Amino acid sequence: IYIRGANRTGTLLDATSGAQILVSGDHLVFEDFSFEGGGANGQRVFVLSSNRESVSDITIRGIRSKNTGRAVHTAGGTSGSNAHNILVYNNEFLGVAHWNAESISTSTYWSNDGVRLVGTGNCVWNNTLQGFGDSITFAHSVDDSTIKACYAYRNFIRNSVDDCFEFDYAVRNCAAYDNYCENNRPFMSMDPVRGGHV
């Protein structure tokens, strides 16, 4: 199933009322539209596996989001909902966090992940991300075998008030390469045991 706009700039979804796209099916493609509004701390554009244990084979490309707390989000964590074989590329995700002392020193935006994919076989490439806590994260799973074979490459990332990349609890074959990161606290958090910084 394809959900496709006429073009990225000509198709606008209004999220000023806090709307979001809940994805609970498999084999879906979202492309070529813009999503603007929301702006609240934690507001999300795409929510994967919202009412299922997992979803798989989702493509998100050619999307522009502006003034959103989170762009693509899988719950993970203690909920155990995962997303597998997710492709996120050629998007522009603009968050609400600013590179200033207040945002960096407090935890207000630290949980505002730009792209958060908890699962196996997920790839994030050729995106622009700005103004998030953890810009790209493959992290936080209750199952030690969940996060494998996930890659982030050729992304342009600015103003991560927490980690540019967070790979906490990623267990094998995960990598970040050929990315540009500017203004971030730790460049990467990667700890499969304690979930802290290494």
Side-chain angles (χ1 to χ4, degrees):
I1 297 175
Y2 284 76
I3 299 176
R4 175 189 295 148
N7 56 67
R8 185 187 301 202
T9 58
T11 306
L12 176 65
L13 302 182
D14 185 358
T16 53
S17 63
Q20 52 194 353
I21 298 173
L22 303 178
V23 181
S24 58
D26 303 323
H27 310 291
L28 301 170
V29 176
F30 299 88
E31 61 183 354
D32 294 334
F33 58 84
S34 291
F35 195 101
E36 186 168 354
N41 181 26
Q43 176 62 40
R44 297 158 290 188
V45 177
F46 293 95
V47 182
L48 307 182
S49 60
S50 60
N51 58 3
R52 291 177 57 188
E53 183 176 338
S54 67
V55 297
S56 66
D57 303 292
I58 308 295
T59 298
I60 298 171
R61 64 188 176 208
I63 305 297
R64 184 175 192 265
S65 73
K66 183 179 179 182
N67 295 328
T68 51
R70 298 171 181 168
V72 180
H73 188 263
T74 306
T78 57
S79 72
S81 62
N82 303 304
H84 306 288
N85 302 323
I86 310 302
L87 307 180
V88 180
Y89 63 96
N90 295 345
N91 302 290
E92 183 180 15
F93 297 137
L94 306 176
V96 295
H98 299 283
W99 186 252
N100 56 37
E102 181 181 0
S103 294
I104 296 167
S105 61
T106 66
S107 60
T108 303
Y109 297 107
W110 289 1
S111 62
N112 280 30
D113 302 327
V115 177
R116 177 181 180 176
L117 297 174
V118 181
T120 300
N122 300 315
C123 291
V124 182
W125 77 97
N126 286 0
N127 300 284
T128 296
L129 297 100
Q130 177 174 318
F132 295 100
D134 300 322
S135 288
I136 297 176
T137 174
F138 307 122
H140 302 299
S141 173
V142 295
D143 180 357
D144 288 343
S145 65
T146 297
I147 304 174
K148 299 179 291 189
C150 294
Y151 302 95
Y153 55 95
R154 293 200 303 268
N155 297 286
F156 182 88
I157 301 171
R158 298 184 68 233
N159 301 349
S160 305
V161 298
D162 199 5
D163 306 322
C164 189
F165 298 102
E166 184 179 25
F167 283 18
D168 297 347
Y169 304 104
V171 292
R172 64 174 64 91
N173 297 340
C174 293
Y177 57 93
D178 292 341
N179 298 282
Y180 176 89
C181 290
E182 175 184 301
N183 294 346
N184 54 87
R185 293 176 68 244
F187 166 70
M188 177 179 283
S189 176
M190 189 171 186
D191 187 342
V193 179
R194 297 176 298 276
H197 296 104
V198 171

